[in-house]
């Protein structure tokens, strides 16, 4: 979309419910920037990692309980290597606890018109109730650009040095797409590879959102395609259809919107009734995000079998809590 007019240049399933993964950190940073602007925090304020925040993995800068972290170091850790330990430390520092910070995040989402988004943590680590849409993430990207132009350049930081270690930005469009200057990548198994990207050419800024890539390479390639087509439309050319090579029906989907509870048993009953009335066969589809596709037998053996009537939320959470994340 073009941010001045909100003109849609390309969309496909823009309102489908998805997990945000580390795109969640865009809202974490929005609230940090807001605190800086309102004088409730400064870039040089020092926060201290708790046992909880230091345990957030796998993408992290290596904080240990009690380690100091300045607000600016936290910002740089999020925009470059998407550090979960830094995100949790920032959230606890601003709100006292991560759950309290997540509630602030969801309230801010409503203020920004993100009606389909719910946040449950500051990092984007797997939580079955943490959901969003591509259109809502566009709104957040635009808000960051419009409300905090003085802080937005942080998103183009290519490298961050912390305690002798160098962390590189996960957003490779900064290196290989002309005009790109942010914003954020994300990945968990339940979401696929996600990206919100902003690019500016000839005074025109576009923001694109891609969810569900089956690799970072193909996600980035699709983003380049839709941005190229968007800039071509701005110049007066006809739009071209841009099919994502990874969108072939396997990509993870959620069946419940914020405030709704999905019950596989109840859903299966409805399908059986509908099939009986229609005289057709019915098939129960598994929710892909309940269990990573590449889960090993060893990891499955360590997990306790779910009870017959256990909550689908608990089952899903237990299977995704150790999911790799970038």
């Amino acid at each position: 979309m073009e941010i001045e007019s909100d003109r849609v240049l390309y969309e496909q399933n823009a309102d489908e419910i998805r997990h945000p993964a580390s795109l969640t950190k865009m809202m974490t940073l929005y609230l940090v920037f807001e605190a800086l602007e309102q004088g409730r925090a400064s870039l040089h304020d020092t926060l201290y990692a708790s046992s909880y925040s230091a345990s957030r993995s796998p993408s992290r800068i290596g904080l240990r309980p009690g380690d100091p972290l300045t607000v600016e170091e936290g910002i740089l850790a999020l925009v470059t290597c998407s550090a979960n330990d830094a995100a949790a430390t920032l959230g606890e520092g601003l709100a006292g606890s991560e759950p309290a910070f997540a509630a602030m995040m969801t309230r801010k989402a409503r203020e920004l018109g993100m009606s389909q988004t719910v946040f449950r943590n500051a990092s984007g680590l797997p939580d079955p109730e943490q959901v969003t849409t591509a259109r809502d993430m566009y709104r957040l990207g635009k808000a960051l650009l419009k409300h905090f132009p003085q802080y937005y350049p942080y998103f183009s930081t290519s490298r961050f040095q912390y305690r002798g270690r160098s962390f590189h930005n996960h957003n490779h469009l900064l290196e290989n797409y002309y005009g790109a200057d942010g914003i954020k990548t994300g990945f968990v198994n339940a979401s696929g590879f996600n990206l919100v990207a902003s690019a500016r050419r000839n005074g025109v800024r576009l923001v694109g959102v891609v969810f569900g890539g089956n690799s970072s390479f193909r996600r980035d390639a699709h983003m380049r395609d839709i941005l190229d087509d968007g800039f071509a439309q701005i110049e007066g050319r006809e739009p071209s259809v841009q099919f994502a090579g990874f969108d072939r029906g396997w990509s993870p989907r959620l069946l419940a919107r914020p405030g709704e509870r999905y019950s596989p048993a109840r859903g299966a009953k409805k399908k059986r009734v509908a099939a009986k009335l229609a005289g057709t066969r019915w098939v129960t589809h598994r929710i892909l995000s309940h269990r990573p596709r590449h889960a090993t037998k060893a990891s499955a053996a360590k997990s306790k079998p779910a009870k017959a009537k256990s909550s689908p939320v608990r089952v899903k959470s237990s299977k995704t809590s150790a999911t790799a994340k970038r």
Side-chain angles (χ1 to χ4, degrees):
M1 295 175 69
E2 193 277 316
I3 69 168
E4 296 302 328
S5 64
D6 282 338
R7 174 186 173 188
V8 178
L9 301 165
Y10 171 84
E11 68 174 299
Q12 182 180 1
N13 303 323
D15 297 302
E16 185 176 83
I17 297 295
R18 298 288 182 121
H19 290 304
S22 277
L23 301 187
T24 298
K25 295 183 177 78
M26 292 167 58
M27 180 58 82
T28 299
L29 289 164
Y30 186 99
L31 292 180
V32 171
F33 296 157
E34 187 176 67
L36 292 172
E37 188 175 69
Q38 295 175 356
R40 293 183 287 110
S42 76
L43 291 173
H44 304 294
D45 284 349
T46 300
L47 308 174
Y48 295 90
S50 66
S51 298
Y52 170 82
S53 63
S55 70
R56 301 299 88 190
S57 62
S59 180
R60 58 201 306 271
I61 57 173
L63 292 175
R64 294 167 297 183
D67 278 354
L69 182 76
T70 68
V71 170
E72 186 170 40
E73 287 172 337
I75 292 170
L76 291 169
L78 266 60
V79 299
T80 55
C81 65
S82 197
N84 299 319
D85 50 357
T89 300
L90 287 171
E92 290 178 337
L94 289 178
S97 70
E98 191 172 46
F101 187 70
M104 289 172 56
M105 296 168 73
T106 301
R107 287 196 298 271
K108 183 58 63 175
R110 294 297 173 272
E111 292 178 19
L112 297 177
M114 300 168 65
S115 60
Q116 303 299 318
T117 298
V118 171
F119 292 112
R120 289 291 181 253
N121 57 52
S123 62
L125 282 169
D127 187 297
E129 295 182 349
Q130 187 153 259
V131 295
T132 191
T133 67
R135 200 180 309 276
D136 274 5
M137 280 292 131
Y138 161 78
R139 293 186 176 107
L140 180 53
K142 176 181 177 178
L144 283 162
L145 281 157
K146 289 291 189 179
H147 299 170
F148 306 111
Q150 71 275 38
Y151 299 121
Y152 178 76
Y154 277 118
F155 288 102
S156 62
T157 304
S158 61
R159 184 181 301 178
F160 165 54
Q161 296 281 343
Y162 183 74
R163 293 189 174 183
R165 297 179 61 191
S166 183
F167 300 91
H168 295 266
N169 199 310
H170 292 173
N171 183 2
H172 298 297
L173 261 68
L174 295 172
E175 306 165 3
N176 57 36
Y177 190 80
Y178 172 64
D181 57 9
I183 297 179
K184 190 72 188 70
T185 62
F187 170 80
V188 292
N189 279 346
S191 74
F193 289 85
N194 304 338
L195 175 63
V196 176
S198 175
R200 181 181 176 88
R201 293 181 182 177
N202 300 322
V204 175
R205 182 179 292 281
L206 306 184
V207 170
V209 183
V210 171
F211 274 83
N214 54 11
S215 73
S216 61
F217 176 82
R218 298 181 78 175
R219 172 202 65 193
D220 292 352
H222 185 51
M223 180 65 80
R224 288 193 294 269
D225 285 345
I226 62 175
L227 287 174
D228 282 345
D229 181 59
F231 283 117
Q233 289 184 56
I234 294 296
E235 295 175 357
R237 282 175 271 178
E238 290 296 317
S240 61
V241 178
Q242 301 290 339
F243 291 107
F246 50 83
D247 192 5
R248 292 294 181 267
W250 66 267
S251 52
R253 300 168 188 270
L254 284 182
L255 303 182
R257 293 187 177 274
E260 298 176 351
R261 305 281 289 189
Y262 177 76
S263 168
R266 182 170 55 199
K269 182 178 180 180
K270 287 183 178 179
K271 287 186 178 182
R272 286 196 297 270
V273 172
K276 184 176 181 180
L277 293 175
T280 60
R281 297 176 62 191
W282 61 278
V283 179
T284 301
H285 297 280
R286 67 189 180 94
I287 300 176
L288 297 181
S289 56
H290 274 15
R291 181 172 182 173
R293 290 166 58 89
H294 60 273
T296 63
K297 291 183 178 180
S299 62
K302 291 180 180 179
S303 301
K304 294 183 179 180
K307 296 181 181 180
K309 294 185 179 180
S310 62
S311 165
V313 172
R314 290 197 299 271
V315 173
K316 182 175 179 180
S317 177
S318 65
K319 296 294 185 183
T320 59
S321 60
T323 302
K325 179 176 182 297
R326 295 176 188 170

